[in-house]
Amino acid sequence: MPQENKSLFSVIVPAYNVEDYLPQCIDSVLAQSFQDFELILVDDGSTDRTGEICDSVAGDRTNNRIHVIHQPNSGLSAARNTGIKAANGKYLIFLDGDDYFEEGALQAVQKALEPGLDVLRYQAQEVFSDGREVKYPESGFATLTGVEAFAKLARYHYTENAWLYAYRREFFVDNGFQYAEGCIAEDLGLTPLIIACAHKVKAISDICYNYRQREGSIMHDNTKVSRRAGDILRQYHETLPKIAAIPHTESILHYLVVSFLTSATALKYDDFLHTYQAAKKAGMLQYIHPASIKALPRALILKHFPRLFYQIYRH
């Protein structure tokens, strides 16, 4: 992709067997009022018409800002990494193939950008097949360091999801960020590190993203709950020490470990205990340091009485 044609945004759409949803996803990008973007469609070895839809859209356009990449099925994280390597825009934006943008989303993001901004957060709403919408309005905040911003972002819905942030591509690439391939919770492992490393983070209150709720997606497949916990644990082996090396990240580490082990209570008790012991063996319990008296009882129970913690906080 030639440097002189660099766009402001690279919108990366990883897509696998989403023929029923992909047209709306693509249309929501092409219909944006702000048009300074390239659209990168990554067909991750689909067995339905997903790849055909991608090719058709690219073939219908007279400009060269729609790029289609076909690859053998390698998973969502690999598809995102492929899109990042192909991207030429100043900012990276991820949009899953079964979701779609709100009208004016890119305009809202563009208006909020400022020089040197590493990460910009926007908001989401859930959409259901019966037409219901559940909005998650959040108050934005002015530019902060990543460490300062995380304390606010941790109170948001979907804190770690990759598709609610615009990332300055140079910052992303220079830090060597990559989504862990073979994982089904790849953004939960990487997003906290990205935020912690950022010098400038900002959030806007605009709801820009429609998160489709459907049966069969990763977040709604109970058979994958155990694998998801294992994937997060595997990523934390690498990312937590990196975050710990950044000054003043104690509260981030505490949040990540406590949130992870709380979510693990969705497992059967024996599986939870196995996950807990693996986290303990990896030294993750050292990061449990509550910053307030209010958080102390939960932390103490988690650190010393895992069975009781499981009984109290089980999802």
Side-chain angles (χ1 to χ4, degrees):
M1 299 180 194
Q3 285 294 113
E4 60 269 19
N5 293 332
K6 183 182 293 186
S7 302
L8 181 60
F9 298 125
S10 292
V11 180
I12 298 170
V13 179
Y16 174 71
N17 286 358
V18 286
E19 63 179 3
D20 293 335
Y21 310 106
L22 188 58
Q24 183 179 18
C25 172
I26 294 173
D27 287 346
S28 77
V29 180
L30 300 181
Q32 290 292 308
S33 57
F34 185 82
Q35 287 282 303
D36 187 11
F37 63 82
E38 63 175 358
L39 175 60
I40 301 174
L41 303 171
V42 183
D43 168 32
D44 187 42
S46 298
T47 57
D48 64 359
R49 293 184 57 253
T50 292
E52 179 184 334
I53 292 169
C54 292
D55 289 336
S56 176
V57 171
D60 288 343
R61 310 296 289 189
T62 58
N63 59 50
N64 63 353
R65 65 188 179 124
I66 300 178
H67 312 281
V68 177
I69 302 171
H70 299 282
Q71 66 179 32
N73 180 243
S74 306
L76 176 60
S77 53
R80 283 185 179 151
N81 290 336
T82 295
I84 293 165
K85 291 176 183 176
N88 191 45
K90 186 173 182 180
Y91 282 87
L92 306 172
I93 292 180
F94 299 106
L95 173 63
D96 284 358
D98 52 351
D99 298 332
Y100 56 98
F101 283 148
E102 274 286 277
E103 293 182 9
L106 294 184
Q107 185 72 65
V109 174
Q110 184 271 331
K111 285 182 177 179
L113 295 178
E114 57 188 59
L117 189 67
D118 294 320
V119 179
L120 178 72
R121 159 73 187 225
Y122 41 90
Q123 313 306 332
Q125 65 182 2
E126 295 173 349
V127 292
F128 295 81
S129 58
D130 61 5
R132 288 184 300 120
E133 296 178 349
V134 177
K135 298 181 184 297
Y136 289 108
E138 310 282 3
S139 298
F141 55 81
T143 304
L144 299 168
T145 67
V147 174
E148 293 169 332
F150 196 92
K152 296 180 179 292
L153 295 170
R155 296 194 289 268
Y156 283 9
H157 287 84
Y158 301 120
T159 298
E160 295 101 335
N161 294 74
W163 34 256
L164 280 179
Y165 299 89
Y167 310 90
R168 188 164 60 87
R169 183 174 63 88
E170 186 176 3
F171 158 73
F172 198 102
V173 172
D174 285 352
N175 278 279
F177 296 135
Q178 279 196 322
Y179 292 98
E181 300 194 5
C183 290
I184 60 173
E186 72 292 332
D187 42 5
L188 274 72
L190 183 60
T191 303
L193 177 62
I194 293 174
I195 295 169
C197 288
H199 294 291
K200 291 185 177 182
V201 179
K202 182 179 179 181
I204 56 176
S205 60
D206 304 66
I207 292 179
C208 297
Y209 196 95
N210 290 289
Y211 179 29
R212 193 186 301 274
Q213 305 297 294
R214 64 186 183 95
E215 294 182 5
S217 65
I218 289 173
M219 295 301 294
H220 293 83
D221 187 342
N222 290 330
T223 64
K224 294 181 179 178
V225 172
S226 180
R227 180 186 164 189
R228 182 172 179 268
D231 283 350
I232 295 172
L233 189 63
R234 177 160 63 92
Q235 292 175 82
Y236 276 6
H237 277 281
E238 181 177 347
T239 59
L240 293 188
K242 290 181 179 179
I243 294 173
I246 301 170
H248 312 302
T249 54
E250 293 82 4
S251 61
I252 297 177
L253 295 163
H254 173 84
Y255 166 86
L256 293 175
V257 173
V258 173
S259 296
F260 166 60
L261 290 175
T262 300
S263 69
T265 61
L267 300 168
K268 294 179 180 179
Y269 176 69
D270 287 345
D271 293 332
F272 166 79
L273 191 59
H274 174 77
T275 300
Y276 178 88
Q277 294 297 342
K280 183 176 181 179
K281 184 178 180 180
M284 295 180 189
L285 299 192
Q286 68 177 306
Y287 300 126
I288 300 177
H289 290 294
S292 67
I293 295 177
K294 183 179 179 181
L296 185 60
R298 183 178 186 175
L300 288 175
I301 295 171
L302 175 56
K303 205 164 186 177
H304 302 290
F305 306 101
R307 179 184 290 273
L308 180 59
F309 182 87
Y310 181 83
Q311 293 171 344
I312 295 174
Y313 294 102
R314 176 155 193 191
H315 282 193

